[in-house]
Amino acid sequence: MKVLKNETDYISWMFDNYFQLSKATVSPLMSDAEIREVLNELHPESFPCIGYLTLSSSGCMHEVNYISREMVSEWAVELDIN
């Protein structure tokens, strides 16, 4: 789980975590265009957010998930955090 403040954080996190853990690892066989496609496909809606990985239902790959700033704000209200 990591707070992603901007595009640079997102790209670093993806290379350090997702590409290292999933079957979609970056390899010499992946072109720059294919890597960009994966990054665009899995991109969060907005920053800042919290990114985290879970195992897919098949248990073979990791799924990328995000918690938005709005969701954190809602939880803070529910938990009565000032």
Side-chain angles (χ1 to χ4, degrees):
M1 200 177 271
K2 176 147 174 89
V3 174
L4 306 173
K5 297 178 185 176
N6 53 43
E7 190 75 16
T8 302
D9 287 351
Y10 166 67
I11 291 170
S12 295
W13 177 72
M14 287 292 287
F15 275 92
D16 290 346
N17 295 278
Y18 178 76
F19 286 118
Q20 296 297 318
L21 296 174
S22 75
K23 288 192 176 212
T25 56
V26 176
S27 77
L29 302 177
M30 284 184 81
S31 69
D32 288 347
E34 290 170 319
I35 293 169
R36 280 192 299 276
E37 184 179 323
V38 171
L39 291 173
N40 286 334
E41 181 181 319
L42 299 176
H43 198 280
E45 289 183 25
S46 63
F47 296 104
C49 63
I50 297 170
Y52 65 99
L53 301 176
T54 57
L55 281 175
S56 68
S57 56
S58 67
C60 297
M61 293 190 56
H62 285 81
E63 294 179 358
V64 178
N65 302 282
Y66 301 103
I67 300 171
S68 67
R69 169 182 239 155
E70 293 78 20
M71 182 55 68
V72 172
S73 294
E74 288 177 28
W75 290 342
V77 168
E78 289 182 31
L79 294 171
D80 195 27
I81 298 172
N82 295 323

